[in-house]
Amino acid sequence: MTTFRRRVAEWRSPSLRQATLWAPQWFPKTAVVSGPQEAAMAFPHLQQPSFLLASLKADSINKPFAQRCQDLVKVIEDFPAKELHTIFPWLVESIFGSLDGVLVGWNLRSLHGRMSPVEYSIAMEFLDPGGPMMKLVYKLQAEDYKFDFPVTYLPPLPGTLHIRTSDCAYFILVDRYLSWFLPTEGSVLPPLSSSPGGPSPSPAPRTPAMPFASYGLHHTSLLKRHISHQTSVNADPASHEIWRSETLLQVFVEMWLHHYSLEMYQKMQSPHAKESFTPSEEHVLVVRLLLKHLHAFSGSLKPEQVSASAHSHATSPLEEFKRAAVPRFVQQKLYLFLQHCFGHWPLDASFRAVLEMWLSYLQPWRYAPEKQAQSSACQPRCVSDRWAPFVQENLLMYTKLFVGFLSRALRTDLVSPKNALMVFRVAKVFAQPNLAEMIQKGEQLFLEPELVIPHRQHRLFTAPPFTGSFLSSWPPAVTDTSFKVKSHVYSLEGQDCKYTPMFGPEVRTLVLRLAQLITQAKQTAKSISDQCGESTAGRPFLSWLGFCSTDTNGCYPANDLDEMGQDSVRKTDEYLEKALEYLCQMFRLSEAQLAQLTLAMGTTRDENGKKQLPDCIVGEDGLILTPLGRYQIINGLRRFDIEYQGDSELQPIRSYEIASLVRMLFRLSSAINHRFAGQMAALCSRADFLGSFCRYHLMEPGLTGRHLLSPVARGYAASRARGPRLSLRLLGSYRTLLSLLLAFVVASLFHIGPLPCVLLLVLGYLLYAVAMTLLTERSKLHQL
């Protein structure tokens, strides 16, 4: 730091400029120029600021991060704007990365306070809204320096992070800048002093050279003032600074939603589009952060200020900006952004990020200051009538996107707790008291015939023009509510749009289908839990030691659940139960309707309490799925119990079996069965205990005790009825051999030799076989 300051001081010293600035050590040749003017004439490409830039670039390689930041702070404080404007583009690239990828920058998206506390603290202090970086910006603005940066180079947030995004420097800085320039309390802070003499002067506002004609089409410099020559505006000192807040909001919208201007979105939807833009979860999270703060910013407008701005122009620029921020800057691009996400996002649990962003936008009352005064009761709050204009002027955000969510929900596996939670969240938000009535009122205003009111004929429903600044061109408030709703819909969907009412018959049919799927998903989750529980509890005692083969067909697949268990089933059941309740409240569905629809879909259980099979008909060659059955299988609502129905001795060799040993045992058992077939049949035909004992060991339950659905399978089972036979395949299992080895090891610890151990094992198995024989015969008697 001392060396850098000395070099800067020497360079800035008037007495040393002529003698040392152009000294031979700075150039490959030994020519010495007497003064800076002569030097500039001799070397026009080596102006004074180039030395500063070259020195900073060299220090960025040789010095540590903390030292570099201290040097930058000193340079920003000591140097005038004339000498600083050449380092600004390099400084931006060194912090945020270069367009060609050579400079990585400070990597703010991965900079975390817990991982790198020192670098994190220095970077946050330097880039703070009141920090050195913004002081540099204010210095350059005071001299009206401009820097061109094509908006097409503005990147989204690609990739994903493996850290909590809410704790990284990027997100925290976004929140700080929003709080600074879009304050929810008080007014916008003036720019900080760039010199000890006081705050930097703010020149008189000027008319922009190029208007912001529909943001996203014609872009001017992001550091220009956008205040027009207006007496009422110039009379208010706050108007000199409100343009900074407007510019910041436009910068953020261009950074994160610039793909979603109407023209760009139409190009993306074209089948001839060369590239498709898919936002990441991180991108969605930062947009949600912007929306939540904008709602808090706009909601900080007092009710009397809202009513005053609707009938008068004697309001402050900040109040006008609060009223116009969301509809003027964000609404159209956000609507297209959400439509794109609803249509292209994968059908998995990652959609939760998009869902929460959408729900945050739909509930501005959650971020209003008066929400603190509400009691924290269990019942949802009633949405105040104050928010009726917002609901009506964002009608498509509620209605069309709700239909889009329904189409997604009908294609997802609602047995998954994560998917069930998303359905629950949407149903809970839309079921808030008074919200459905507001949406219905908005639809009535939009569907109101135009011929009813003569003075509205021949109007053109378009969005308000976007000119240089909202302060200079914000149109007078439209008191015709119906016209405002129509203008909103037509500006987003076009004059020839076909609107589907949210509470009309088409959407009601979709809601009924979702209610059916919710009921089916609840039963499926319960069946999964029951079947997995039965397969675990119903195993024989010796199966825990590996003496019985494991049934791989006894349990459902995971169905994208985090874990199959009582806790997951309980969560799924709770979410779906409440979601169904909220949907019934919104669309006034009766229990009789649900019961009838549930019965029609065949979701009732059969006589054994098990879930039914997919809907199908019996043909000559077996079962044939109906379209409903295909839908049930695709959505995981029902499934066939697939199990091996052939000869158990001819099953493919499993991974837990020794292939060569299994083949050898099969040949041995086949020889024994062929040699003693008559004797085994005679023993099994006896009616005494010995006959029962032999049948338990030599007769395979096979297909005779199974419920076969296919006529082909039943015919195959009848034609392939097998007699008594011996099976030795169990001895070819790794688990059986390991269990036997373990038994011998344990026996040796008690000083029991191999032969006595074998005798004990045989005796134990005979006792087990006798008990199982008696239980089997008793169960057969009960069935008779």
Side-chain angles (χ1 to χ4, degrees):
M1 183 64 183
T2 305
T3 304
F4 181 82
R5 287 184 174 177
R6 184 177 68 251
R7 287 166 56 188
V8 171
E10 291 174 353
W11 180 70
R12 289 180 57 84
S13 174
S15 61
L16 294 178
R17 283 187 182 179
Q18 297 183 358
T20 62
L21 175 61
W22 307 107
Q25 63 265 25
W26 295 104
F27 303 99
K29 296 184 178 180
T30 60
V32 178
V33 185
S34 60
Q37 295 181 352
E38 291 78 0
M41 294 175 62
F43 303 97
H45 61 288
L46 295 174
Q47 300 295 327
Q48 293 179 6
S50 64
F51 163 75
L52 178 61
L53 179 59
S55 178
L56 290 174
K57 286 184 177 180
D59 291 343
S60 67
I61 300 175
N62 302 322
K63 290 186 177 182
F65 179 75
Q67 187 65 44
R68 298 200 310 266
C69 289
Q70 292 179 9
D71 293 346
L72 287 172
V73 172
K74 185 63 177 175
V75 168
I76 293 171
E77 289 179 351
D78 293 348
F79 281 73
K82 182 179 180 181
E83 298 169 0
L84 291 174
H85 81 279
T86 56
I87 73 167
F88 183 74
W90 168 82
L91 181 57
V92 171
E93 286 191 340
S94 66
I95 295 175
F96 301 101
S98 58
L99 297 175
D100 55 9
V102 176
L103 296 178
V104 179
W106 293 2
N107 200 7
L108 298 176
R109 295 170 55 241
S110 300
L111 189 59
H112 198 281
R114 291 196 297 267
M115 299 178 182
S116 307
V118 177
E119 292 185 0
Y120 174 84
S121 177
I122 294 174
M124 297 298 289
E125 183 178 354
F126 186 83
L127 297 176
D128 190 81
M133 188 67 179
M134 287 306 297
K135 289 183 180 179
L136 172 59
V137 172
Y138 293 142
K139 272 191 174 183
L140 298 176
Q141 286 176 343
E143 299 296 332
D144 200 25
Y145 284 104
K146 304 178 182 66
F147 300 89
D148 295 329
F149 188 88
V151 177
T152 55
Y153 290 162
L154 287 174
L157 294 173
T160 57
L161 293 180
H162 299 287
I163 62 174
R164 290 181 55 189
T165 55
S166 59
D167 295 338
C168 70
Y170 186 94
F171 276 76
I172 294 178
L173 282 171
V174 168
D175 186 65
R176 289 187 183 181
Y177 273 80
L178 288 172
S179 301
W180 184 283
F181 290 98
L182 304 176
T184 56
E185 296 181 0
S187 58
V188 181
L189 295 175
L192 298 179
S193 172
S194 57
S195 62
S200 59
S202 181
R206 301 183 296 274
T207 304
M210 184 184 298
F212 283 162
S214 68
Y215 288 107
L217 299 180
H218 305 287
H219 306 288
T220 60
S221 170
L222 297 181
L223 299 180
K224 289 181 64 176
R225 295 156 179 78
H226 307 301
I227 306 296
S228 298
H229 289 292
Q230 284 190 359
T231 305
S232 60
V233 171
N234 292 340
D236 187 354
S239 64
H240 290 184
E241 306 303 336
I242 203 69
W243 68 269
R244 303 178 192 274
S245 301
E246 180 187 0
T247 301
L248 177 88
L249 180 56
Q250 187 204 354
V251 168
F252 283 167
V253 170
E254 292 292 354
M255 284 174 58
W256 302 322
L257 298 176
H258 72 280
H259 286 80
Y260 297 97
S261 62
L262 189 57
E263 288 74 10
M264 179 68 74
Y265 181 76
Q266 291 173 348
K267 291 180 181 179
M268 290 168 57
Q269 302 305 312
S270 171
H272 305 290
K274 295 183 180 180
E275 60 178 358
S276 59
F277 172 68
T278 303
S280 63
E281 287 189 59
E282 185 186 6
H283 185 169
V284 172
L285 290 175
V286 77
V287 174
R288 186 190 180 203
L289 178 62
L290 172 65
L291 296 178
K292 291 166 66 174
H293 191 88
L294 282 177
H295 278 327
F297 176 67
S298 301
S300 62
L301 203 63
K302 300 297 187 294
E304 58 271 13
Q305 294 173 336
V306 175
S307 59
S309 63
H311 300 89
S312 172
H313 296 283
T315 55
S316 69
L318 182 59
E319 293 170 1
E320 284 293 314
F321 184 41
K322 289 182 178 182
R323 181 175 68 91
V326 172
R328 186 167 180 78
F329 287 87
V330 178
Q331 187 190 69
Q332 184 188 60
K333 288 187 176 182
L334 179 65
Y335 175 70
L336 297 175
F337 178 68
L338 286 170
Q339 271 201 319
H340 181 77
C341 291
F342 274 57
H344 295 81
W345 203 277
L347 290 171
D348 56 23
S350 66
F351 186 72
R352 175 78 185 277
V354 179
L355 186 81
E356 295 298 335
M357 175 185 64
W358 173 48
L359 297 181
S360 294
Y361 182 81
L362 297 186
Q363 302 177 87
W365 46 87
R366 289 184 56 193
Y367 312 101
E370 66 268 14
K371 77 182 182 72
Q372 303 296 336
Q374 298 288 338
S375 60
S376 57
C378 297
Q379 297 297 328
R381 282 192 312 155
C382 179
V383 180
S384 172
D385 291 334
R386 169 194 172 186
W387 302 104
F390 178 87
V391 175
Q392 295 165 3
E393 294 168 18
N394 290 271
L395 186 63
L396 291 178
M397 293 284 194
Y398 290 89
T399 59
K400 186 166 184 178
L401 293 181
F402 179 80
V403 176
F405 175 76
L406 284 180
S407 65
R408 290 184 60 92
L410 291 173
R411 292 177 289 154
T412 55
D413 179 15
L414 298 184
V415 180
S416 167
K418 293 181 179 179
N419 293 334
L421 175 60
M422 287 191 284
V423 175
F424 163 74
R425 290 282 296 121
V426 173
K428 181 179 179 181
V429 168
F430 277 84
Q432 294 178 85
N434 202 32
L435 179 57
E437 289 75 7
M438 290 182 182
I439 297 175
Q440 284 182 301
K441 177 62 176 177
E443 289 188 328
Q444 292 172 4
L445 292 171
F446 173 73
L447 299 174
E448 177 182 312
E450 195 62 24
L451 297 178
V452 173
I453 303 179
H455 74 271
R456 282 210 228 109
Q457 294 181 13
H458 310 296
R459 280 191 180 183
L460 182 63
F461 298 102
T462 57
F466 294 99
T467 53
S469 169
F470 75 90
L471 293 174
S472 61
S473 64
W474 187 250
V478 181
T479 57
D480 190 339
T481 308
S482 177
F483 179 79
K484 288 198 293 186
V485 176
K486 293 176 185 290
S487 178
H488 154 71
V489 174
Y490 291 139
S491 64
L492 296 181
E493 289 291 330
Q495 297 274 355
D496 55 348
C497 74
K498 181 182 178 182
Y499 182 78
T500 302
M502 178 175 167
F503 294 94
E506 297 181 22
V507 178
R508 186 179 180 85
T509 301
L510 295 177
V511 172
L512 289 174
R513 285 181 56 192
L514 180 60
Q516 297 163 2
L517 295 183
I518 289 175
T519 305
Q520 288 182 335
K522 291 176 59 180
Q523 295 182 354
T524 302
K526 187 64 168 59
S527 298
I528 292 174
S529 177
D530 293 345
Q531 185 163 354
C532 290
E534 290 174 2
S535 63
T536 302
R539 291 179 184 175
F541 171 76
L542 291 183
S543 66
W544 297 102
L545 300 176
F547 286 98
C548 291
S549 61
T550 303
D551 183 10
T552 59
N553 302 313
C555 199
Y556 281 86
N559 248 351
D560 199 28
L561 287 170
D562 294 332
E563 55 180 2
M564 291 304 300
Q566 295 298 328
D567 187 57
S568 295
V569 173
R570 180 183 57 81
K571 288 182 179 179
T572 301
D573 189 70
E574 289 179 358
Y575 294 147
L576 295 180
E577 183 68 29
K578 296 298 294 184
L580 190 59
E581 178 184 338
Y582 290 136
L583 290 175
C584 292
Q585 292 177 9
M586 288 171 53
F587 294 90
R588 298 178 176 85
L589 303 179
S590 64
E591 294 184 1
Q593 287 177 303
L594 289 180
Q596 181 180 4
L597 293 169
T598 300
L599 185 61
M601 289 289 291
T603 59
T604 56
R605 299 187 176 189
D606 60 16
E607 63 278 2
N608 295 324
K610 303 296 182 183
K611 76 178 192 66
Q612 286 189 337
L613 296 168
D615 190 72
C616 52
I617 59 176
V618 180
E620 295 181 357
D621 297 328
L623 299 180
I624 302 175
L625 283 173
T626 64
L628 175 59
R630 295 190 188 96
Y631 175 82
Q632 292 167 340
I633 291 179
I634 291 173
N635 289 275
L637 302 175
R638 297 184 182 181
R639 74 179 188 96
F640 288 105
D641 289 328
I642 301 175
E643 58 181 353
Y644 183 78
Q645 297 181 348
D647 190 346
S648 60
E649 288 295 296
L650 300 178
Q651 292 186 64
I653 296 177
R654 308 300 175 92
S655 60
Y656 54 82
E657 294 178 323
I658 305 173
S660 58
L661 185 58
V662 169
R663 295 189 181 98
M664 185 184 68
L665 292 172
F666 175 74
R667 288 193 291 269
L668 177 61
S669 60
S670 298
I672 294 174
N673 293 330
H674 180 73
R675 175 69 179 82
F676 299 101
Q679 290 87 334
M680 289 189 292
L683 288 172
C684 291
S685 62
R686 296 173 58 130
D688 54 6
F689 176 79
L690 180 60
S692 300
F693 187 84
C694 292
R695 285 192 295 271
Y696 176 78
H697 288 89
L698 302 178
M699 296 291 293
E700 181 184 3
L703 305 179
T704 56
R706 301 180 187 176
H707 177 61
L708 300 180
L709 300 173
S710 171
V712 178
R714 287 195 292 266
Y716 177 80
S719 63
R720 294 296 302 271
R722 306 179 187 93
R725 60 178 179 171
L726 177 67
S727 176
L728 301 176
R729 183 165 181 166
L730 180 65
L731 299 177
S733 171
Y734 284 108
R735 285 177 288 187
T736 302
L737 298 178
L738 182 61
S739 300
L740 291 174
L741 178 62
L742 182 62
F744 283 113
V745 171
V746 173
S748 66
L749 296 178
F750 293 94
H751 305 286
I752 301 175
L755 184 59
C757 180
V758 171
L759 294 176
L760 287 176
L761 290 176
V762 171
L763 179 61
Y765 180 75
L766 287 175
L767 294 175
Y768 168 78
V770 168
M772 293 301 299
T773 300
L774 295 175
L775 292 175
T776 303
E777 292 298 320
R778 182 176 299 179
S779 63
K780 289 182 179 179
L781 292 175
H782 284 298
Q783 290 178 1
L784 295 176

